[in-house]
Amino acid sequence: MTRKLLISVIVLGWIIASIQLIRSVFSNTLDHGILTVVSIALGLLVTAGLNLVFSKVKIRFNWPMAAFFLVFLSTACIGLLNYQLASPHHQKKEFVVKGSGGRVIRFDLMEYVRLTDGTSSFKYMGLDKGAMPRAGEVLEGTVRKGFFGFDIVEISDQP
């Protein structure tokens, strides 16, 4: 009983840490988490398909390990497609800092600032830890369309 409980806690911790890591990959994309959900779903669908193929051929299939690698592979593919094939046209935009905070991932603190452009608010993680802006400061950045149509924000002016 305790072994099953321990395995369940480890798997749950792995899932939560994976989701946080995947969300940080798309942290500067204004997609409201859509690319995160799509990358996880795509990895799990490919895993289920491979499990079906391997079960028909009667070969053992380690689906938790395959799901782990395929979810990260799908995240890497979607992230690279979105960023590398993004539109070269960009526009300058001003963002106001609403606040700042931090997220702990595997004993490492990832600091972020909450930015708004007047219509939407989002967390941005690409700033230097030593020069974190305060609430109310205005940052200038560039916005360009990613491959999947979502805006990619890059802050160029730090206080």
Side-chain angles (χ1 to χ4, degrees):
M1 179 67 178
T2 57
R3 183 170 188 244
K4 286 185 179 185
L5 179 66
L6 181 63
I7 290 173
S8 298
V9 168
I10 290 172
V11 168
L12 182 66
W14 167 75
I15 290 170
I16 291 170
S18 299
I19 291 172
Q20 285 182 344
L21 186 63
I22 292 169
R23 285 186 63 206
S24 69
V25 168
F26 301 112
S27 67
N28 63 342
T29 304
L30 302 180
D31 65 342
H32 302 291
I34 293 172
L35 291 179
T36 301
V37 170
V38 167
S39 66
I40 292 171
L42 182 64
L44 293 177
L45 282 173
V46 171
T47 303
L50 285 176
N51 191 16
L52 184 65
V53 167
F54 279 101
S55 67
K56 292 212 184 261
V57 182
K58 305 281 190 222
I59 297 176
R60 286 183 45 100
F61 183 71
N62 187 350
W63 68 267
M65 192 61 76
F68 175 77
F69 287 115
L70 288 172
V71 165
F72 282 110
L73 181 65
S74 67
T75 300
C77 290
I78 289 174
L80 284 173
L81 278 174
N82 193 46
Y83 295 123
Q84 296 299 321
L85 300 177
S87 171
H89 306 291
H90 61 276
Q91 65 183 33
K92 298 273 186 198
K93 217 174 202 184
E94 288 187 347
F95 298 97
V96 178
V97 178
K98 288 176 73 175
S100 63
R103 183 187 313 177
V104 177
I105 296 180
R106 212 95 183 126
F107 309 113
D108 189 24
L109 180 66
M110 299 180 76
E111 295 181 1
Y112 64 86
V113 287
R114 180 161 287 287
L115 300 174
T116 182
D117 63 352
T119 58
S120 63
S121 178
F122 61 96
K123 292 178 183 174
Y124 185 78
M125 296 176 130
L127 295 175
D128 185 24
K129 287 184 179 182
M132 292 298 281
R134 295 191 174 109
E137 289 185 19
V138 177
L139 301 177
E140 187 175 308
T142 58
V143 178
R144 60 189 177 124
K145 288 283 184 199
F147 180 72
F148 297 107
F150 300 109
D151 289 339
I152 299 173
V153 176
E154 296 169 352
I155 302 298
S156 57
D157 186 24
Q158 297 181 21

